Amino acid sequence: MSHASTRYSPVAIALHWVIALLILSMIPMGLWMTAAIERPDSQALAYRVFQIHKSIGFLILALTVVRIVWRLTHRPPTLPRGMKRWEAFAAGATHVAFYALLLALPLTGWLYVSAGWAVSQDRALGVATSWFGLFPIPHLPGVAELSIQMRRALAFKAMGAHSLMAWGAVVLIVPHVGAALKHQFIDRDGVLSHMVPGLKGGHAAVGRAPSSPWAERAVGIALVLAIAVAGAIAAQPYALTESQVVAAKTPVAAPVPPADAPVTPGSATAWTIDPATSSIAFSGTHAGKRFEGRFERWQGQVWFDPADLTGSKAVVSVQTASARTGDPTQEGSLQGPEWLNPEQYPVARFEAATFRSLGGDRYEATGMLRIKATTIPVVLPFRFTETNGVARVEGALELDRTALDLGMASDATADWVSKMIGVRIEVSARRAP
């Protein structure tokens, strides 16, 4: 751009107004959701708004990086020649402060989410992040490996800085808008027309650039740093009690039998499962709203005959990383260490060796279910029908996730995710040769 240009480029104008609208939407959103998340009647909606809030925050971060790069490579319009020196200095420092805030606000929010601690409830809360449900966004590296005390302190400080900087942005917006209106309607020097398409410029000549850009940058950045530090200091948490530390700890991985351990076949009729017409589904509630999911990858070995229940047997192995609910945030959380943790425990296994008839086509299988390092006894009632050599099995049961050590660091009291998780199986199989 020419140094004498009286208007920002179309790209700069578009970035300015898009970011401005996003910021204006984030302020009331943040105020509402922090209160609504505590009320049972609005908890489900507040959870979804939190996810939108995080997605918009990452969008602002990306657009701000583009805006800064564009600003460094494209010279902006010069200020009016008659503009007072202190006004020019204040304008420059305010712009730099805005840039710093637009970087620091999303970054402190990202740090807070990565810490896995809910400040409002002062307890562990591991929630994954997905960008508008399109793809997952990982937590900041190294944060999850910190101790409980360090992650908690980090969450408090990050949220303290984030909150105070958000209010700092509100405070800066007011004089920023007021100054623009003053220049347009009182000074009539055309400053507002630099950024508003179609707006006629004023009568004042242009030609003077700010005299001390480095001083403006230093003041703008220092202002944001002071606000962030003040918020972090004010959010100093109390010390954790020993019981809180124990409740928040994610259990250390324990050795488990190999998932592909040899299976001793049953003596009853062998069946070959058709995966295309079979499923293992699960359901429950999350933030007051029902969810339904399924495991996409699993396999089973079945020997069953109503006339030979003592020789019947079933072994089912499930790939825990294949859990799907249709909600990327939920799916990302299920991959975490306190939930299914497929990185360390890739397979869950159910093995039933005791069957009994309940009358008619109803039966009951008793066996052991292993998820992660925990094994519990399970009773699965089911219906069995056979037509032309094709069997159909339908069964359902409820599992206590707290007994299986699922989500115990973040939600041991089932405030977010229901304690009981329903499991439903539908299997179609043919007699093996």
Side-chain angles (χ1 to χ4, degrees):
M1 292 178 60
S2 167
H3 185 71
S5 174
T6 58
R7 193 180 298 277
Y8 284 95
S9 69
V11 173
I13 292 174
L15 287 170
H16 173 274
W17 289 111
V18 169
I19 294 174
L21 290 174
L22 292 175
I23 287 292
L24 291 176
S25 72
M26 291 284 270
I27 294 170
M29 191 186 305
L31 291 173
W32 178 83
M33 69 187 188
T34 51
I37 201 72
E38 303 295 335
R39 299 195 301 269
D41 61 327
S42 57
Q43 192 178 64
L45 178 59
Y47 167 79
R48 294 194 290 274
V49 172
F50 259 109
Q51 310 317 313
I52 295 173
H53 187 85
K54 290 191 291 183
S55 297
I56 293 177
F58 281 108
L59 178 59
I60 291 173
L61 179 61
L63 292 178
T64 300
V65 171
V66 174
R67 178 73 177 94
I68 292 175
V69 172
W70 189 267
R71 170 65 178 80
L72 293 175
T73 55
H74 294 73
R75 185 173 293 174
T78 51
L79 299 174
R81 190 179 302 277
M83 193 173 182
K84 296 181 178 63
R85 186 173 296 276
W86 71 266
E87 287 182 313
F89 185 89
T94 300
H95 278 85
V96 172
F98 269 125
Y99 286 135
L101 281 172
L102 293 175
L103 291 174
L105 276 168
L107 288 174
T108 51
W110 194 2
L111 182 60
Y112 171 71
V113 171
S114 301
W117 195 274
V119 166
S120 61
Q121 299 170 324
D122 198 11
R123 70 179 190 185
L125 183 62
V127 179
T129 299
S130 63
W131 194 73
F132 292 109
L134 298 177
F135 55 84
I137 295 179
H139 292 327
L140 289 171
V143 178
E145 286 71 38
L146 299 175
S147 66
I148 296 295
Q149 292 88 342
M150 292 183 67
R151 286 195 292 112
R152 176 174 177 262
L154 193 61
F156 269 86
K157 292 182 181 299
M159 180 49 65
H162 187 80
S163 299
L164 199 59
M165 284 192 296
W167 285 111
V170 174
V171 172
L172 280 179
I173 287 171
V174 174
H176 180 68
V177 173
L181 295 176
K182 170 185 175 293
H183 283 286
Q184 181 65 24
F185 297 109
I186 297 178
D187 300 338
R188 298 181 180 277
D189 52 19
V191 169
L192 188 58
S193 66
H194 293 174
M195 192 55 78
V196 179
L199 191 65
K200 293 183 179 180
H203 57 70
V206 297
R208 183 174 67 80
S211 57
S212 53
W214 287 107
E216 295 170 0
R217 295 168 190 169
V219 169
I221 293 173
L223 176 62
V224 173
L225 285 176
I227 296 173
V229 171
I233 293 174
Q236 182 70 27
Y238 294 106
L240 277 176
T241 64
E242 186 63 29
S243 60
Q244 286 176 305
V245 173
V246 172
K249 279 186 176 179
T250 301
V252 178
V256 297
D260 56 353
V263 176
T264 302
S267 59
T269 303
W271 297 86
T272 300
I273 295 175
D274 179 7
T277 56
S278 304
S279 64
I280 299 179
F282 57 91
S283 61
T285 60
H286 175 223
K289 183 180 179 182
R290 179 176 173 79
F291 69 84
E292 295 183 351
R294 68 193 185 283
F295 289 100
E296 295 188 333
R297 297 190 302 276
W298 59 277
Q299 60 184 8
Q301 297 171 272
V302 179
W303 299 266
F304 181 78
D305 187 341
D308 184 13
L309 294 180
T310 58
S312 298
K313 188 172 185 178
V315 178
V316 178
S317 298
V318 178
Q319 301 291 323
T320 54
S322 70
R324 299 290 181 268
T325 66
D327 184 323
T329 304
Q330 292 176 350
E331 292 173 3
S333 298
L334 285 173
Q335 310 301 313
E338 64 171 302
W339 291 92
L340 293 175
N341 194 7
E343 184 176 346
Q344 294 183 1
Y345 306 103
V347 177
R349 178 166 167 153
F350 173 65
E351 184 166 347
T354 303
F355 291 78
R356 71 185 185 98
S357 173
L358 300 179
D361 60 359
R362 297 182 301 115
Y363 299 87
E364 188 177 82
T366 301
M368 303 300 291
L369 172 65
R370 190 190 75 224
I371 296 180
K372 297 197 295 186
T374 303
T375 301
I376 63 171
V378 168
V379 177
L380 171 65
F382 65 93
R383 301 175 72 95
F384 173 88
T385 57
E386 181 184 0
T387 305
N388 298 325
V390 178
R392 187 69 181 172
V393 175
E394 297 179 351
L397 75 160
E398 285 196 325
L399 296 175
D400 182 349
R401 67 171 179 82
T402 63
L404 287 163
D405 185 30
L406 296 175
M408 294 304 289
S410 296
D411 195 26
T413 54
D415 294 332
W416 286 93
V417 181
S418 55
K419 180 181 178 182
M420 304 306 295
I421 302 297
V423 178
R424 181 172 181 80
I425 64 165
E426 296 183 0
V427 175
S428 180
R430 289 185 176 273
R431 289 178 179 267

